[in-house]
Amino acid sequence: VLGVAVAFLAATLIPLPAKSLPHEVAGQPAAWDAMEQRIEEVKAAEIVEPQAMEELEAALQALQAKPENDWFSHESLETTDHLQESTEAALSELARNLESALAAMDVSRQLESAQMAALSPELQKISSEALKGLASGSMPLNEKMLSDLKGLDPSTLRQLSAEEWEKIKAKMSQGISTCSNGFSSGDKAGDALMAVVLASQGGVSRGPGSAPLALKDSETNLKTQSMERLENSDLSHAALGDLVGLGTGEHKVDESTSGAAGTLANPSASGDSPSSLNASPSEQKVLQQFFR
């Protein structure tokens, strides 16, 4: 009873620890920092319509406005990943369409008048589809730049000076590099499209053309029936067992060592020692050691 009383008294006198406060958040998620930096890069390039960038900033600010304790919750991180992935996908689509438009314009500048007359419909189709994608994407091209590109048809492009064209090309290349996150700048887009267009039109992009396949009146003798002798007198690299040569002739038989019916003239008797055989001294020594 005394022990129970002491336990109750100790329980009432020992103070309980205060309720622990939630840990303070050290900073916002790293993905938000990356998105803020990406938004600043795209805005500095002046390649995307400003309204689309404002909507993206508003979506990010809505996440940042939540209580700090919810920043790293599963829902918040999942929403951040979705926003980041959709943004990069839209920018990649913008980069592809911008690269297609640049390629069509570059090819139009490279072609001669006769080639341009034949390939103009194909280039116009590629350019129209690219401009349509630039205007209708979730990250549309800047309205002013889009209007300038729509006013550049193949005939107008050929009238531009080299300095004017390089200025337009540099602006588009910068936009492609920014939207693709440095993956491409579109500098080789024109050459790649030129090869595709020429191949689709049946053009020859290598050599003088196909080899003639017409039959000739005279027979082509490839000398497949003639035989030539192969000879190599240098045996410094020959290995044991290599074939050195072939010849024809008869075997030379020493008849003095054979008797009637092919028997040996001096056959060894059973039980003879190996030393009685016709062997050299060194061979006899080896045989004596072996049969000892």
Side-chain angles (χ1 to χ4, degrees), residues 19-25 69:
K19 184 179 180 181
S20 59
L21 297 177
H23 297 287
E24 295 182 359
V25 179
N69 294 332

Side-chain angles (χ1 to χ4, degrees), residues 50-64:
Q51 183 179 356
M53 299 306 301
E54 292 174 0
E55 294 177 356
L56 178 59
E57 284 183 307
L60 179 59
Q61 290 173 0
L63 289 173
Q64 294 172 333

Side-chain angles (χ1 to χ4, degrees), residues 9-257:
L9 181 60
T12 56
L13 295 179
I14 296 176
L16 295 177
K19 184 179 180 181
S20 59
L21 297 177
H23 297 287
E24 295 182 359
V25 179
Q28 66 179 9
W32 293 357
D33 294 331
M35 288 196 63
E36 288 177 348
Q37 183 179 358
R38 192 79 168 101
I39 291 173
E40 292 301 325
E41 292 176 355
V42 177
K43 289 174 64 177
E46 298 180 352
I47 200 72
V48 179
E49 182 64 23
Q51 183 179 356
M53 299 306 301
E54 292 174 0
E55 294 177 356
L56 178 59
E57 284 183 307
L60 179 59
Q61 290 173 0
L63 289 173
Q64 294 172 333
K66 292 183 177 181
E68 294 185 0
N69 294 332
D70 295 337
W71 283 358
F72 292 91
S73 64
H74 177 74
E75 180 182 359
S76 177
L77 295 178
E78 186 175 339
T79 305
T80 300
D81 291 341
H82 176 72
L83 182 62
Q84 195 171 24
E85 290 174 2
S86 60
T87 301
E88 292 300 331
L91 291 174
S92 297
E93 182 182 3
L94 176 60
R96 287 194 299 269
N97 290 322
L98 198 59
E99 191 170 4
S100 297
L102 176 59
M105 296 167 64
D106 195 9
V107 170
S108 300
R109 296 260 312 170
Q110 296 180 31
L111 293 177
E112 299 178 357
S113 300
Q115 292 177 314
M116 189 62 195
L119 301 178
S120 181
E122 185 71 20
L123 293 176
Q124 190 64 36
K125 179 181 178 182
I126 295 174
S127 180
S128 299
E129 292 179 353
L131 292 175
K132 183 179 179 181
L134 291 173
S136 60
S138 56
M139 285 284 178
L141 185 65
N142 184 290
E143 185 177 357
K144 182 181 182 305
M145 189 173 182
L146 181 62
S147 178
D148 294 341
L149 293 181
K150 288 182 177 180
L152 295 175
D153 55 18
S155 59
T156 308
L157 285 169
R158 299 175 68 84
Q159 296 175 1
L160 294 176
S161 63
E163 183 179 357
E164 292 173 336
W165 166 242
E166 288 299 327
K167 185 177 180 180
I168 296 174
K169 186 176 181 180
K171 179 67 175 178
M172 298 178 70
S173 298
Q174 180 186 4
I176 295 171
S177 178
T178 302
C179 294
S180 65
N181 214 356
F183 181 75
S184 173
S185 61
D187 53 345
K188 301 296 183 181
D191 297 338
L193 181 60
M194 175 75 81
V196 173
V197 171
L198 290 177
S200 64
Q201 295 293 328
V204 178
S205 59
R206 82 287 179 270
S210 302
L213 300 178
L215 298 177
K216 297 189 300 183
D217 297 334
S218 59
E219 179 184 0
T220 300
N221 184 10
L222 300 179
K223 298 181 179 181
T224 56
Q225 301 298 326
S226 61
M227 301 180 65
E228 298 180 0
R229 180 179 180 181
L230 298 179
E231 184 176 1
N232 184 11
S233 57
D234 182 12
L235 302 180
S236 60
H237 299 288
L240 293 176
D242 287 350
L243 179 63
V244 177
L246 295 175
T248 57
E250 298 180 355
H251 293 289
K252 295 181 180 181
V253 180
D254 187 3
E255 297 180 355
S256 62
T257 60

